[in-house]
Amino acid sequence: MSPRPVRIGVQIAPQHSSYATIRDTLREIEDLGVDIAFNWDHFYPLSGDPDGTHFEGWSMLAAWAEQTSRIEFGPLVTCNSYRNPDLLADMARTVDHISAKDGTGRLVFGIGSGWFERDYQEYGYEFGTAGQRLDALSEDLPRIEARLASVNPAPTRHIPVLIGGGGEKKTLRIVAQHADIWHTFSDAATLEHKLGVLHEWCEKVGRDPAAIEISTGVDVAGAALTAEEGANLDASRALGASLFTLGISGPDIDLGGVRALVKWRDEQNG
């Protein structure tokens, strides 16, 4: 089987910027040829001033669906704990339809179990333990799948499910059962090990691991890749990663790293 082509994602953090800046940044990265735009599903900044400017993710995704015409987009990742799973599925289906300019939607449904305690405390959700949150994700994903199969109108396509995290006892089992894309922040050595565990889970649940796209977060500082940055990308690519995502944030958004990654993608894909 031929390797998947390289794709580039950019996570625009919905923090420390006006919405106008976020909107304009999305337009710029779509024009640059980025494959997927992500935001995140939190209620407060994750870096910088903890009480700085911040916007809610799913409302933003609906606007992105209307604004864009080519780029895929989604949350990296939505928190399973913040919404009833049937409601969440219906939200995803609706955003999918909003984005379907040519009849096919472009939402990538990123989901995880949640981890940012302040979100839970401030908005009145029970934080619990990491294990409890993962168990809830495992229980809710079949409900989400069932709701997506029953809504009228149906989604315009199979909405790709992206699951983030690398826990070997629970998370990678959930990935093997439900994910179209697995997202990790691992270096190459860790990625190689985690892939071995994921393949074991795929065998146990009867899933072909080749059906799961491998996604990884990357750090690129400038408009030209350093030798170390290029080597890290090449190492992850050699292990089968095909989606490489760079995070950018206000207040001073720099697209130099985005341009470097797009250039590298085009060289890889020939």
Side-chain angles (χ1 to χ4, degrees):
M1 180 182 295
S2 299
R4 295 175 184 264
V6 171
R7 302 198 293 164
I8 299 301
V10 174
Q11 184 182 45
I12 306 172
Q15 62 178 14
H16 307 311
S17 295
S18 67
Y19 184 70
T21 297
I22 293 170
R23 180 188 62 224
D24 293 347
T25 299
L26 175 63
R27 181 176 296 111
E28 286 187 73
I29 68 169
E30 183 173 41
D31 289 345
L32 286 172
V34 168
D35 298 287
I36 306 178
F38 294 109
N39 62 7
W40 65 42
D41 188 24
H42 295 288
F43 307 129
Y44 296 93
L46 298 185
S47 61
D49 179 359
D51 295 312
T53 301
H54 196 277
F55 293 99
E56 191 277 324
W58 272 98
S59 303
M60 183 179 293
L61 291 174
W64 285 14
E66 191 64 62
Q67 173 189 341
T68 58
S69 60
R70 179 199 58 80
I71 197 169
E72 290 190 302
F73 63 93
L76 188 63
V77 292
T78 199
C79 177
N80 180 65
S81 307
Y82 299 161
R83 300 163 192 88
N84 171 283
D86 294 275
L87 170 63
L88 186 56
D90 204 347
M91 290 166 59
R93 180 279 308 256
T94 300
V95 171
D96 166 70
H97 274 267
I98 295 170
S99 70
K101 304 296 177 60
D102 64 356
T104 302
R106 292 172 286 115
L107 177 70
V108 175
F109 184 58
I111 190 167
S113 60
W115 62 272
F116 190 39
E117 188 170 4
R118 185 183 182 189
D119 285 346
Y120 289 80
Q121 292 176 339
E122 296 272 7
Y123 279 62
Y125 300 112
E126 182 179 352
F127 187 57
T129 67
Q132 288 170 334
R133 295 192 299 276
L134 280 165
D135 289 342
L137 176 63
S138 182
E139 293 168 3
D140 288 346
L141 277 166
R143 285 182 60 182
I144 290 169
E145 293 165 352
R147 181 60 57 185
L148 287 171
S150 68
V151 287
N152 182 20
T156 67
R157 65 170 182 169
H158 169 73
I159 300 174
V161 173
L162 178 154
I163 296 175
E168 298 179 12
K169 294 182 179 179
K170 292 186 176 183
T171 302
L172 292 180
R173 171 182 57 80
I174 297 170
V175 170
Q177 292 172 317
H178 298 283
D180 300 290
I181 307 169
W182 170 52
H183 184 77
T184 177
F185 292 96
S186 303
D187 59 26
T190 305
L191 177 59
E192 185 172 19
H193 168 72
K194 298 289 185 181
L195 283 170
V197 177
L198 177 58
H199 286 199
E200 291 174 1
W201 276 117
C202 285
E203 184 175 358
K204 290 177 182 178
V205 304
R207 184 91 185 276
D208 180 359
I212 303 171
E213 183 174 13
I214 308 304
S215 168
T216 185
V218 298
D219 293 315
V220 176
L225 295 178
T226 66
E228 182 179 4
E229 289 168 346
N232 289 337
L233 292 169
D234 291 342
S236 295
R237 176 61 174 161
L239 291 169
S242 59
L243 175 55
F244 298 81
T245 298
L246 175 69
I248 58 177
S249 176
D252 300 313
I253 295 177
D254 182 358
L255 297 183
V258 177
R259 292 185 175 90
L261 281 170
V262 168
K263 180 181 178 182
W264 176 78
R265 176 203 64 190
D266 293 345
E267 292 169 349
Q268 293 291 310
N269 291 342

